[in-house]
Amino acid sequence: MTIYDISEKAGVSIATVSRVLNGSNNVSEKTKKKVLDVINQYEYTPNAFARGLGLNTMKTIGIMCADSSDLYLAKAIYYIEQKLRANGYDSILCCTGYDLATKASSMNLLITKKVDGIILVGSNFIYEKEEDNKYITDASAQVPVMLLNAAMDAPNVYSVVSDDFTSMYDATMEMIRSGVEDILYFYNSTSYSGKKKLAGYRAAMEEKGLLTNGSFLQLYQGSHEDIPAMADQLKKLHAKGISFHGVIAADDSLALGALKYGREMGLRIPEDLSIIGYNNSMLVSCCDPELTSIDNKLETLCQHLITTLMGVLEGNEMPKKTVFSGELVKRGTTK
Amino acid sequence: MTIYDISEKAGVSIATVSRVLNGSNNVSEKTKKKVLDVINQYEYTPNAFARGLGLNTMKTIGIMCADSSDLYLAKAIYYIEQKLRANGYDSILCCTGYDLATKASSMNLLITKKVDGIILVGSNFIYEKEEDNKYITDASAQVPVMLLNAAMDAPNVYSVVSDDFTSMYDATMEMIRSGVEDILYFYNSTSYSGKKKLAGYRAAMEEKGLLTNGSFLQLYQGSHEDIPAMADQLKKLHAKGISFHGVIAADDSLALGALKYGREMGLRIPEDLSIIGYNNSMLVSCCDPELTSIDNKLETLCQHLITTLMGVLEGNEMPKKTVFSGELVKRGTTK
DNA sequence: TTGAAAGCGCTAACAC
DNA sequence: GTGTTAGCGCTTTCAA
């Protein structure tokens, strides 16, 4: 069933059918109804390819994320996908993994598919070396690129980020204020946002004269789902004689690892060990005591990101970078 | 850059370029190289719309899931998306929510986009009433429809499921064998797979003559992320005077809710309360003690689903329904 | 082994 | 308010 069939059955030209299809005003109510009737009768739907060929847009946005099974990223995808649809756009999802080459080729693939824009979810898409970010600027030459929780200054690239530095700074300050001074920083990523978080912790510790040598920075490199491995890492640290009464984690799962460590060592929480997590995910309430965590307002970020993208696609001038504040949500793992 | 530009620069016709592009044999090595050189030089990539117009396929599979922020579904999506890409297919993701009308319209949208197949992730897409499943058979008239963890007997619909009945039956038997007889069944879904699970529990209880009135079946209807609410529901039950020493949950998050309940009531786990979860997700290890749970081999299911889909798309005869066995993974919440 | 040309189904500029 | 027609970029016969 094509537009020709419809035009024939309705006794009009294909142009008229097309006008009806696209909601043009220049059609009389009578013919409009006539055409619509035929369309409904035959359950006709226009061919998206043909439409795309002419318009060179498919009303589709490419979403890239490293790993959709990561709680935080999954949630972001959920929000983004919904809000896109509300705006009449579809989404193609690409789970790229953490390898640069794969990211670059996924990007190309999306461009090939003629997406109207690309959203990079998570900060791991931005690299230290400028040349490693070339795949992004290459893409942004074709379509707008949106970064969620990452930032990059380049034409046609827009960033929406949570103020991780301040969130971490505030959280650290709060813990110090509560009387804990030997605070371990437990993290798993040195991405854009990872660095901001770390810097926030350092700034607070330094300000209070508590910054010691590197052993209070613990980088975890295992699977983001393997809580026991996280706990083990802290246990090894303890065995080495390094003691701490506070843990600030860059992710809720790491905080759970710290909690598990505390339990296994027979520590009282939060008296012997205070813990703060990050993301305020569902994980905060699945443990005992419940986790104090930083809420970085993911839904707000996503909403703003989509609003910005829609603005860009309509040709409006939009802010290149937007920063939202996080919020510390206190629960049982802090005093 | 179009095929015309390339043909001009290479000094051949567009047909020859097209042949090179599509790996036809009927091109001399010399012209092939000539064309390839130009293509590489200009970083030309064919326009997917134009190609799709002629071929009427975009090498794209539609994935529908109710909620990509659900741990289990997110993981499934991750596997599926990766395996599709490995087969040269892209995916369009639609998070439909749990409303039938939205599901149906998402389905239409995917058909409109000319996807080559549709994968329904999760059992909530199948309804009791046959007429409510019409949107599936409508779609399967156009493209193959794959069901993950749901089953339906219709032309061009293929099902890959975990044997939830047996898994639950075995788990229940195991708990009874360990000496626990007052076992509460805690569930949140009456979907296809939800029913199978429930039936497994019932069958085991009945066989042992332990089936009592309905109060041992607890349906939770809140958010899948709200562990405290799950615990509360059990607390209310307890307050009503209903006692139980075992909980079998249809999902790990519900099991965590039971665990939280146990803690708050001061029960020893597993001595006073045994708990078994379902899915063997990352949640099993984030609590203390760790959760005994049923592994339903999600990655295997996904792999098989994709293999089947690829077979169908190639025109091969493929199995309409495949069933895999789950496995009880014992941890600290059971004796 | 190669080229010419006819679609694929739609949109939009232009003519009436 | 409606119709005619020229593309959009590619694949695929059919001829040569």
Side-chain angles (χ1 to χ4, degrees):
Chain A
M1 190 62 51
T2 77
I3 200 170
Y4 291 95
D5 300 320
I6 300 297
S7 74
E8 191 179 321
K9 294 188 201 300
V12 298
S13 74
I14 59 163
T16 302
V17 178
S18 179
R19 288 193 187 96
V20 171
L21 245 25
N22 295 289
S24 163
N25 305 317
N26 302 325
V27 188
S28 73
E29 276 306 318
K30 209 164 53 182
T31 45
K32 188 173 192 167
K33 181 176 175 348
K34 196 166 57 181
V35 172
L36 243 24
D37 283 349
V38 178
I39 287 178
N40 290 329
Q41 183 185 344
Y42 292 90
E43 293 189 345
Y44 160 78
T45 50
N47 181 311
F49 295 154
R51 179 173 265 167
L53 226 203
L55 264 50
N56 216 32
T57 161
M58 196 87 149
K59 286 271 221 179
T60 302
I61 303 294
I63 303 177
M64 290 174 54
C65 84
D67 176 0
S68 69
S69 75
D70 177 284
L71 263 179
Y72 184 73
L73 301 178
K75 195 101 200 178
I77 292 170
Y78 176 73
Y79 288 134
I80 289 174
E81 204 270 345
Q82 289 224 322
K83 292 175 200 307
L84 278 178
R85 189 107 43 76
N87 282 279
Y89 279 79
D90 295 320
S91 50
I92 296 188
L93 176 67
C94 277
C95 305
T96 62
Y98 292 91
D99 175 52
L100 173 58
T102 317
K103 290 174 186 168
S105 83
S106 296
M107 202 95 172
N108 276 328
L109 189 142
L110 288 176
I111 299 280
T112 304
K113 293 269 171 181
K114 296 279 180 193
V115 294
D116 302 299
I118 294 180
I119 301 174
L120 305 185
V121 180
S123 60
N124 54 72
F125 286 98
I126 301 293
Y127 290 86
E128 287 271 349
K129 291 188 228 155
E130 196 152 333
E131 62 193 84
D132 286 347
N133 296 323
K134 187 169 178 303
Y135 76 105
I136 298 181
T137 43
D138 282 355
S140 69
Q142 318 258 348
V143 293
V145 174
M146 312 294 301
L147 304 180
L148 179 63
N149 265 332
M152 181 174 156
D153 188 19
N156 215 20
V157 175
Y158 299 81
S159 311
V160 179
V161 300
S162 174
D163 187 353
D164 296 317
F165 175 91
T166 305
S167 295
M168 268 306 185
Y169 175 88
D170 291 347
T172 309
M173 277 301 188
E174 180 77 22
M175 193 179 276
I176 295 171
R177 213 172 296 131
S178 80
V180 182
E181 301 206 325
D182 47 350
I183 304 174
L184 184 83
Y185 185 73
F186 199 23
Y187 65 115
N188 59 354
S189 161
T190 53
S191 65
Y192 174 87
S193 104
K195 282 201 207 72
K196 297 279 182 196
K197 291 179 193 171
L198 176 54
Y201 160 82
R202 293 187 75 114
M205 293 295 272
E206 190 155 26
E207 192 174 322
K208 294 291 187 181
L210 299 171
L211 209 51
T212 55
N213 58 47
S215 53
F216 268 71
L217 265 36
Q218 271 299 304
L219 176 61
Y220 168 77
Q221 306 199 78
S223 154
H224 66 79
E225 300 197 339
D226 194 349
I227 313 279
M230 302 171 193
D232 280 348
Q233 182 163 337
L234 296 187
K235 256 188 279 181
K236 278 191 197 123
L237 210 62
H238 179 88
K240 275 203 253 169
I242 296 167
S243 84
F244 46 89
H245 293 85
V247 173
I248 294 195
D251 186 274
D252 284 336
S253 59
L254 289 168
L256 285 184
L259 188 56
K260 194 176 196 72
Y261 154 81
R263 289 214 161 283
E264 292 178 354
M265 303 299 292
L267 304 176
R268 291 168 307 159
I269 315 278
E271 294 80 2
D272 302 333
L273 182 66
S274 292
I275 303 172
I276 297 181
Y278 208 101
N279 284 347
N280 203 39
S281 66
M282 72 166 291
L283 296 180
V284 300
S285 66
C286 70
C287 51
D288 178 41
E290 295 184 4
L291 208 55
T292 294
S293 184
I294 292 160
D295 183 351
N296 56 8
K297 310 294 178 56
L298 183 57
E299 185 166 11
T300 308
L301 295 182
C302 291
Q303 178 63 67
H304 185 85
L305 184 142
I306 299 301
T307 307
T308 306
L309 176 55
M310 293 300 126
V312 171
L313 290 175
E314 286 166 14
N316 303 330
E317 190 84 16
M318 300 304 282
K320 294 281 292 180
K321 179 174 176 181
T322 322
V323 181
F324 286 89
S325 303
E327 181 192 357
L328 185 67
V329 183
K330 293 183 199 169
R331 297 197 185 79
T333 58
T334 49
K335 298 172 213 169
Chain B
M1 190 63 50
T2 76
I3 201 170
Y4 290 95
D5 300 320
I6 300 297
S7 74
E8 192 178 318
K9 294 189 202 297
V12 298
S13 75
I14 58 162
T16 302
V17 177
S18 179
R19 288 192 187 98
V20 172
L21 245 25
N22 295 290
S24 163
N25 306 316
N26 302 325
V27 188
S28 74
E29 276 306 318
K30 209 163 55 182
T31 44
K32 188 173 192 169
K33 179 173 176 350
K34 198 165 55 181
V35 172
L36 244 22
D37 283 349
V38 178
I39 287 178
N40 290 329
Q41 182 186 344
Y42 291 90
E43 294 189 344
Y44 161 78
T45 50
N47 181 310
F49 295 155
R51 177 172 267 164
L53 227 203
L55 265 49
N56 217 33
T57 161
M58 197 87 150
K59 286 272 227 178
T60 302
I61 304 294
I63 303 177
M64 291 174 52
C65 84
D67 176 1
S68 68
S69 75
D70 178 283
L71 263 180
Y72 184 73
L73 300 179
K75 195 103 200 175
I77 292 170
Y78 176 73
Y79 288 134
I80 289 175
E81 203 270 345
Q82 289 223 321
K83 292 173 200 306
L84 278 177
R85 189 104 46 73
N87 282 280
Y89 280 80
D90 295 319
S91 48
I92 296 187
L93 176 68
C94 278
C95 304
T96 60
Y98 292 91
D99 176 53
L100 173 57
T102 316
K103 288 175 187 169
S105 82
S106 296
M107 200 94 170
N108 276 329
L109 189 142
L110 289 176
I111 298 280
T112 305
K113 294 269 170 182
K114 296 279 181 192
V115 295
D116 301 297
I118 294 180
I119 301 174
L120 304 184
V121 180
S123 60
N124 54 72
F125 286 99
I126 302 293
Y127 290 85
E128 288 272 350
K129 291 187 229 157
E130 196 152 334
E131 62 195 82
D132 285 347
N133 295 324
K134 187 168 177 305
Y135 76 104
I136 298 181
T137 44
D138 282 355
S140 69
Q142 317 258 350
V143 293
V145 175
M146 312 295 302
L147 305 179
L148 179 63
N149 264 333
M152 179 175 161
D153 188 18
N156 215 19
V157 176
Y158 299 81
S159 312
V160 178
V161 301
S162 174
D163 186 354
D164 296 317
F165 176 90
T166 305
S167 295
M168 268 308 186
Y169 175 89
D170 291 348
T172 310
M173 278 300 188
E174 179 78 21
M175 193 179 275
I176 295 171
R177 215 172 293 131
S178 80
V180 182
E181 300 206 324
D182 46 350
I183 304 174
L184 184 83
Y185 185 73
F186 199 23
Y187 65 116
N188 59 355
S189 162
T190 53
S191 65
Y192 174 87
S193 105
K195 282 201 207 71
K196 296 279 181 192
K197 292 179 192 171
L198 177 53
Y201 160 83
R202 292 188 76 113
M205 293 296 273
E206 191 153 28
E207 192 174 321
K208 293 293 186 179
L210 299 171
L211 210 50
T212 56
N213 59 50
S215 53
F216 268 71
L217 265 35
Q218 271 300 303
L219 176 61
Y220 168 78
Q221 306 199 80
S223 154
H224 66 80
E225 300 198 339
D226 195 349
I227 312 279
M230 302 171 191
D232 281 348
Q233 182 163 337
L234 296 187
K235 256 188 280 182
K236 277 188 198 126
L237 210 63
H238 178 89
K240 273 202 254 168
I242 295 167
S243 85
F244 45 89
H245 293 84
V247 173
I248 293 195
D251 186 275
D252 284 336
S253 59
L254 289 168
L256 284 184
L259 188 56
K260 193 177 197 73
Y261 153 82
R263 289 216 159 281
E264 293 178 355
M265 302 298 291
L267 304 175
R268 289 169 306 159
I269 315 281
E271 293 78 5
D272 302 335
L273 183 66
S274 292
I275 303 171
I276 296 181
Y278 209 102
N279 283 347
N280 203 37
S281 67
M282 73 165 291
L283 297 180
V284 300
S285 66
C286 71
C287 51
D288 178 41
E290 294 184 6
L291 208 55
T292 294
S293 183
I294 292 162
D295 183 352
N296 56 7
K297 311 293 176 60
L298 183 56
E299 185 166 10
T300 307
L301 295 182
C302 292
Q303 178 63 66
H304 186 84
L305 184 141
I306 299 302
T307 307
T308 306
L309 175 55
M310 293 301 126
V312 172
L313 291 175
E314 285 165 14
N316 303 329
E317 190 85 15
M318 300 303 283
K320 294 280 292 179
K321 179 174 176 181
T322 322
V323 181
F324 286 89
S325 303
E327 180 191 357
L328 184 66
V329 182
K330 292 183 199 168
R331 296 197 185 80
T333 58
T334 49
K335 298 172 214 168

